[in-house]
Amino acid sequence: MKLQRMNRRALSLGALAVSGALALTACGSDDTGGKSSGGSAAASAPAGNVKCDDAKGQLLADGSSAQKNAIDAWVKAFTQACNGVQINYKGGGSGAGVTAFTQGQVAFAGSDSALKPEEVTASKSICKGGQGIDLPMVGGPIAVAFKLDGVDKLVLDAPTIAKIFSGKIKTWDDEQIKKLNPDAKLPNLKIQAFHRSDESGTTDNFTKYLIATTPDNWKYEGGKAWTAPGGQSASGSSGVAQGVKQTNGAIGYMELSYAKDGLGTVAIDTGASAPVAASSDGATKAIADAKVVGTGSDLSLKLNYATKADGAYPITLVTYEIACDKGNKADTLPATKAFLRYIASEDGQGVLSGINYAPIPADIIAKVRTTIEGLS
């Protein structure tokens, strides 16, 4: 009898050891079998409250490169919890995402600009009995990032930024830049301004800021395509960041999460009590001043680019997830709803500040959550 009790105890301990090893394995690997790095942004995304429901299969998505780092973190957490789902987000730019959505190639798209009326019309042939809607999901500051040897801090205002990106201010020791930076040692060096070569919601929001704040100095059309003369171009936020990083005297616009590894970021003189640096908190303060202008289940926002509120960073974008309100494909609807539900949740939004994005303000994200539950 004593020997039998000892054997039962050994089996029990062995089972506990196995279950513990399995738990550690699940926490330390992703859905592709690779190990997650404990210090990565993706590894920090909490997945404990993910509701998988009947989600399964593969989701294809494309769009905003601005939100790519956030999507990567969310996908990692979601697919660890819902291992029957694979999500492939291409991040080819807002223009590519909207086109893929209106052609029925993806389950959802990401765009840093709300759908235009003609795009809503096009979506109706894909969303049977419904249409594409805008769900604000990710906020973020568009950093004006620079590489200038010997200069770590830089303050610019809207007129100066407009003149730099239109080629009217050509060198770093220009009097207008010196006036804003009296203590900086600005070199007599040519300014190399980088912009996006692809259609981009980041470009749309950056130029909307210039149009709203300094129309006398920025007379070019807004939109996803860059229309000002001169400068150098690169594809995607990562391409612009790489171009600036490799060029002394360069400057470009990109999401804050890309402005790293030796790049400085400009503080904006908005007329507030102090220049405002690009930050997640500053972007959230700016987005809180936005108004919902969409109708029905569409939640597109109108941002106040000319804000002068203390601490509000004015060059801010909101990335929308674009989905059908009705008429989603039956084979992708459960996974689409489950993933959107997670990224709009408190856990999903809680990931953003730690990776240089801005959570959507509480009253707006509450409407997003309600809308997601009604997708069909």
Side-chain angles (χ1 to χ4, degrees):
M1 292 293 292
K2 183 176 181 180
L3 181 59
Q4 289 176 337
R5 285 196 299 271
M6 290 176 67
N7 286 340
R8 285 197 299 269
R9 177 177 172 81
L11 287 170
S12 178
L13 289 171
L16 285 171
V18 170
S19 66
L22 288 172
L24 288 171
T25 301
C27 292
S29 64
D30 57 28
D31 60 301
T32 60
K35 297 292 181 67
S36 64
S37 58
S40 71
S44 68
N49 296 322
V50 176
K51 291 175 60 180
C52 301
D53 292 338
D54 298 321
K56 59 183 178 180
Q58 185 179 45
L59 281 186
L60 297 179
D62 195 4
S64 165
S65 65
Q67 70 167 355
K68 182 68 165 60
N69 292 334
I71 288 284
D72 286 348
W74 282 332
V75 166
K76 189 177 184 70
F78 181 81
T79 54
Q80 281 179 343
C82 306
N83 56 19
V85 182
Q86 291 182 327
I87 300 175
N88 182 0
Y89 182 81
K90 187 175 178 182
S94 297
V98 171
T99 298
F101 179 76
T102 56
Q103 292 180 351
Q105 299 170 358
V106 294
F108 70 91
S111 177
D112 308 319
S113 301
L115 290 169
K116 296 176 181 177
E118 61 268 25
E119 292 167 341
V120 173
T121 299
S123 74
K124 291 180 180 179
S125 63
I126 301 301
C127 307
K128 302 300 183 183
Q131 65 180 49
I133 57 171
D134 301 288
L135 300 172
M137 201 71 74
V138 187
I142 301 174
V144 181
F146 66 94
K147 180 177 175 59
L148 190 58
D149 291 349
V151 178
D152 297 323
K153 296 181 179 180
L154 196 64
V155 175
L156 297 175
D157 58 13
T160 309
I161 293 171
K163 291 173 185 177
I164 287 172
F165 279 90
S166 61
K168 295 183 178 69
I169 291 179
K170 301 182 183 298
T171 61
W172 283 106
D173 62 349
D174 187 277
E175 288 299 321
Q176 294 176 70
I177 301 177
K178 289 168 69 174
K179 185 177 179 180
L180 290 163
N181 300 274
D183 298 326
K185 295 181 180 179
L186 296 165
N188 181 17
L189 180 66
K190 181 181 178 181
I191 296 173
Q192 305 274 3
F194 280 79
H195 59 265
R196 291 281 289 271
S197 60
D198 53 324
E199 287 202 351
S200 161
T202 310
T203 295
D204 191 16
N205 284 274
F206 181 66
T207 54
K208 279 178 179 176
Y209 161 73
L210 296 175
I211 292 167
T213 54
T214 184
D216 291 343
N217 295 297
W218 193 263
K219 298 183 180 296
Y220 310 101
E221 291 183 8
K224 294 176 183 176
W226 183 261
T227 56
Q232 300 189 51
S233 63
S235 179
S237 295
S238 58
V240 172
Q242 190 67 21
V244 175
K245 194 179 303 181
Q246 293 175 345
T247 311
N248 185 37
I251 190 169
Y253 58 91
M254 65 199 72
E255 293 69 39
L256 182 59
S257 63
Y258 290 90
K260 53 189 178 181
D261 300 334
L263 295 181
T265 56
V266 170
I268 308 298
D269 184 348
T270 64
S273 60
V276 185
S279 71
S280 297
D281 287 346
T284 298
K285 287 179 181 178
I287 296 168
D289 198 22
K291 296 180 180 179
V292 176
V293 293
T295 57
S297 54
D298 185 90
L299 297 173
S300 56
L301 304 175
K302 183 177 181 180
L303 298 172
N304 179 12
Y305 298 99
T307 180
K308 295 183 180 180
D310 284 348
Y313 184 78
I315 318 178
T316 297
L317 60 77
V318 169
T319 297
Y320 301 95
E321 309 312 329
I322 296 170
C324 296
D325 57 354
K326 298 176 183 177
N328 287 277
K329 294 178 181 178
D331 57 340
T332 58
L333 176 60
T336 299
K337 276 183 83 166
F339 182 65
L340 294 179
R341 180 188 295 121
Y342 164 63
I343 68 178
S345 71
E346 187 174 342
D347 281 350
Q349 290 289 299
V351 171
L352 296 175
S353 294
I355 51 176
N356 292 316
Y357 290 97
I360 300 299
D363 58 336
I364 298 174
I365 202 66
K367 295 176 182 177
V368 172
R369 291 167 185 157
T370 300
T371 303
I372 289 169
E373 295 307 319
L375 298 182
S376 62

